[in-house]
């Protein structure tokens, strides 16, 4: 019968059945592989060393040397800037690989090919290629009294192999943490980008901005062009300059070699003009909110100028305009619902909270704004809440599903000290917290908004609760 999906007389399944069976098998295998990767030490539990990932890459034939790399580090803005660099390169017709972390919803988001998360089939193919060598290095490390490769190291190996297999014209790679010993640093970026550096991950990177900047400067390699965003601490630029001099790299700094000309708030984003490394770019529209996103965009333009023409050739202004107008940064000041408006943001440290507050003050005009706040135990909850207090009328304190989440009762005590008891509600369950915040935002007939923030996990889980999973 026409349209039937039943087996024919031969008893063999038709194409639709075969495809369904294949998809089911891929889904099952992907779940098994994800569980195997997740069973490894998490990315916040690491032993600083490039030895293990370098050994795997060498066994694979060093695939990360088969394409040029734009390498990005910093404390905040890395993921947004990475995506902006990728968007510019795609608009120029280049095939790109992108590696970012952490992910919002799916492990595969971290590895993108030409702007799209890697398919399950390609992820599995790259994993199957690298896992025999990972297991060899695991065995050698354990025999020497060391650890197995971590979750993050395995994903870096999969990404670099996938980029070589694609193949890509250029890989845009965000570090996971730090720079010098980050697993991504087995690649040598022809362009090294440093977004604003501030205090974060002090237990791994050091407890001063100088120590953290020194770690991050390790991605600047011999002969590279380094591009630095405007730094909140002058000593960071000096450390980057010293590193560039040490390895024979060139350093371009925002505010000196490129930077802001003019800007204005626009519907759905912002309009601005900038001076690039090789020329000016006017009438640029960016559908992202906040001065920090404009800064990220300017840094991305300078990085692409450095990559395609050594910083001496102006990009096609129409290409730059078209690319930036398509920019997206999921989970970063992203409006995920209207009535009431719900905004999610992945701010998870004080510097990120400052950028968030500035963006809210510049681009939003809520009659009443209620925060849904869930923060990880190892973050500075007090300072994050102090930064956000002036822009939040009330906070609903909760927790995410992360095992690292701070207990809501403990976070509530911190919040009461800052906001006062009458402006704090503790709701242990995040879905209920979101409902409570929505009710408070519309209290008294006022058309208010809800801001969900405190961690990447907070942004991700609220996105999912409201039916947004695209990245």
């Amino acid at each position: 019968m026409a349209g039937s999906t039943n087996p024919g007389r031969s008893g063999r399944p038709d194409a639709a059945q075969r495809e369904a069976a294949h998809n089911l098998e891929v889904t099952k295998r992907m779940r098994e592989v994800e569980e195997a990767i997740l069973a490894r030490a998490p990315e916040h539990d690491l032993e600083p060393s490039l030895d293990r990932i370098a050994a795997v890459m060498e066994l694979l034939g060093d695939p990360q040397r088969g394409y040029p790399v734009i390498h990005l580090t910093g404390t905040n803005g890395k993921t947004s800037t990475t995506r902006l660099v990728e968007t510019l390169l795609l608009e120029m017709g280049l095939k790109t690989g992108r590696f970012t972390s952490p992910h919002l919803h799916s492990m595969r988001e971290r590895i993108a090919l030409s702007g799209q998360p890697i398919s399950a089939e390609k992820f599995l193919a790259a994993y199957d290629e690298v896992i025999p060598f990972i297991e060899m290095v695991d065995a050698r490390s354990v025999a020497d009294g060391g650890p197995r490769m971590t979750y993050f190291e395995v994903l870096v190996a999969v990404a670099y192999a996938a980029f070589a297999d694609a193949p890509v014209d250029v890989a845009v790679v965000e570090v996971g943490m730090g720079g010098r010993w980050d697993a991504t640093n087995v690649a040598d970026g022809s362009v090294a980008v440093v977004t604003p550096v501030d205090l974060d991950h002090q237990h791994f990177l050091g407890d001063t901005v100088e120590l953290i900047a020194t770690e991050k400067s390790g991605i600047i390699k011999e002969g590279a062009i380094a591009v630095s965003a405007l730094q909140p601490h002058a000593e960071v630029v000096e450390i980057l300059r010293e590193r560039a001099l040490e390895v024979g790299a060139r350093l371009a700094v925002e505010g000196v070699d490129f930077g802001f000309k003019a800007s204005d708030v626009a519907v759905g984003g912002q309009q601005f003009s900038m001076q690039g490394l090789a020329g000016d770019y006017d009438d640029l529209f960016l559908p992202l909110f906040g001065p920090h996103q404009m800064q990220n965009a300017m840094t991305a333009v300078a990085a692409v100028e450095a990559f395609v023409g050594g910083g001496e050739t102006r990009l096609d202004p129409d290409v730059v305009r078209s690319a930036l107008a398509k920019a997206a940064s999921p989970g970063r000041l992203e409006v995920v619902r209207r009535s009431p408006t719900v905004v999610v943001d992945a701010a998870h440290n004080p510097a990120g909270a400052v950028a968030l507050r500035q963006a809210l003050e510049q681009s939003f005009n809520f009659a009443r704004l209620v925060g849904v706040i869930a923060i990880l135990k190892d973050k500075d909850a007090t300072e994050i809440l102090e930064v956000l207090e002036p822009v939040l009328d009330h906070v609903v304190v909760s927790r995410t599903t992360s095992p690292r989440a701070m207990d809501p009762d403990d976070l509530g005590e911190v919040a009461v000290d800052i906001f006062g008891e009458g402006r704090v509600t503790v709701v242990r369950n995040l879905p209920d917290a979101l409902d409570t915040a929505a009710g408070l935002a519309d209290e008294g007939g006022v058309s208010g908004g809800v801001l969900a923030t405190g961690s990447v996990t907070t942004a991700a889980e609220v996105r999912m609760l409201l039916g947004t999973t695209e990245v």
Side-chain angles (χ1 to χ4, degrees):
M1 183 164 53
S4 171
T5 58
N6 292 326
R9 290 183 179 179
S10 66
R12 291 183 299 214
D14 65 15
Q17 289 175 312
R18 290 195 298 273
E19 182 179 1
H22 170 74
N23 291 341
L24 185 62
E25 181 59 32
V26 168
T27 300
K28 178 183 175 185
R29 179 88 202 295
M30 189 68 209
R31 188 180 302 116
E32 292 170 348
V33 167
E34 286 177 335
E35 289 173 355
I37 296 174
L38 286 166
R40 292 174 175 271
E43 47 204 324
H44 64 275
D45 180 15
L46 50 84
E47 183 175 308
S49 171
L50 290 179
D51 293 345
R52 295 177 297 277
I53 185 66
V56 170
M57 291 294 102
E58 183 177 3
L59 290 168
L60 286 165
D62 284 320
Q64 79 281 11
R65 307 201 187 284
Y67 39 81
V69 172
I70 299 176
H71 204 178
L72 297 94
T73 190
T75 301
N76 290 296
K78 296 188 298 296
T79 300
S80 293
T81 306
T82 299
R83 293 180 69 105
L84 286 160
V85 169
E86 173 197 48
T87 302
L88 286 159
L89 295 170
L90 286 171
E91 195 69 18
M92 297 172 66
L94 297 175
K95 293 184 292 184
T96 61
R98 165 171 50 86
F99 183 77
T100 53
S101 62
H103 60 268
L104 287 168
H105 306 295
S106 166
M107 189 183 291
R108 292 189 290 110
E109 293 169 23
R110 297 181 180 225
I111 304 170
L113 298 174
S114 292
Q116 298 300 315
I118 190 171
S119 68
E121 289 89 344
K122 289 183 178 179
F123 185 100
L124 292 171
Y127 179 82
D128 288 342
E129 180 181 351
V130 304
I131 193 60
F133 303 107
I134 288 171
E135 290 173 345
M136 288 172 58
V137 171
D138 280 346
R140 187 186 310 163
S141 178
V142 170
D144 291 340
R148 294 198 310 154
M149 290 183 67
T150 66
Y151 168 101
F152 185 76
E153 288 172 318
V154 170
L155 288 179
V156 170
V158 172
Y160 284 158
F163 296 160
D165 292 341
V168 301
D169 297 319
V170 52
V172 190
V173 177
E174 174 193 352
V175 304
M177 188 189 300
R180 180 172 58 93
W181 44 257
D182 186 78
T184 62
N185 206 30
V186 290
D188 295 329
S190 58
V191 175
V193 179
V194 184
T195 66
V197 174
D198 218 311
L199 294 174
D200 200 13
H201 301 297
Q202 291 98 310
H203 49 302
F204 287 114
L205 304 178
D207 57 7
T208 68
V209 168
E210 291 88 345
L211 287 172
I212 293 171
T214 299
E215 287 294 336
K216 293 181 185 295
S217 72
I219 72 164
I220 302 173
K221 302 295 180 64
E222 182 178 355
I225 301 176
V227 176
S228 172
L230 190 65
Q231 294 295 337
H233 304 282
E235 55 268 37
V236 172
V237 175
E238 291 309 308
I239 288 167
L240 298 180
R241 203 179 302 282
E242 289 172 8
R243 171 66 180 180
L245 184 63
E246 176 188 344
V247 299
R250 289 165 50 198
L251 177 65
V253 178
E254 182 183 350
V256 178
D257 304 288
F258 68 97
F260 164 85
K261 286 175 57 183
S263 70
D264 199 5
V265 177
V267 176
Q270 50 196 318
Q271 200 89 19
F272 72 99
S273 299
M274 65 169 287
Q275 171 200 329
L277 296 177
D280 291 349
Y281 304 92
D282 298 318
D283 302 319
L284 305 173
F285 173 69
L286 184 70
L288 304 174
F289 300 106
H292 64 295
Q293 290 289 20
M294 183 178 67
Q295 182 180 14
N296 292 337
M298 290 190 295
T299 303
V301 170
V304 174
E305 284 182 305
F307 176 72
V308 299
E312 298 176 0
T313 303
R314 185 182 184 221
L315 305 177
D316 183 336
D318 289 335
V319 169
V320 175
R321 288 190 196 98
S322 179
L324 294 185
K326 297 175 182 176
S329 190
R332 278 76 182 174
L333 260 175
E334 179 187 18
V335 177
V336 293
R337 194 177 96 173
R338 301 283 184 183
S339 191
T341 299
V342 178
V343 180
V344 299
D345 191 84
H348 59 278
N349 55 39
V354 169
L356 170 57
R357 185 185 69 193
Q358 291 173 342
L360 288 168
E361 293 170 338
Q362 178 198 68
S363 304
F364 293 87
N365 187 27
F366 293 110
R368 178 177 174 81
L369 184 60
V370 178
V372 175
I373 311 292
I375 298 174
L376 300 183
K377 286 180 287 191
D378 59 343
K379 299 300 179 179
D380 190 342
T382 298
E383 192 167 350
I384 291 171
L385 290 172
E386 286 176 343
V387 168
L388 295 177
E389 187 275 333
V391 294
L392 296 178
D393 295 282
H394 195 99
V395 290
V396 180
V397 169
S398 191
R399 63 162 296 151
T400 64
T401 58
S402 170
R404 296 167 59 203
M406 188 173 181
D407 183 88
D409 291 331
D410 294 337
L411 184 55
E413 290 181 9
V414 176
V416 166
D417 287 341
I418 296 165
F419 287 80
E421 192 169 348
R423 294 169 63 196
V424 178
T425 302
V426 176
V427 181
R428 299 190 65 84
N429 177 279
L430 188 60
D432 291 341
L434 189 58
D435 288 341
T436 299
L440 289 166
D442 286 342
E443 199 170 59
V446 173
S447 179
V450 174
L451 169 69
T453 191
S455 73
V456 175
T457 311
T458 307
E461 292 189 7
V462 171
R463 281 180 109 245
M464 187 171 292
L465 285 169
L466 295 179
T468 301
T469 57
E470 291 186 5
V471 293

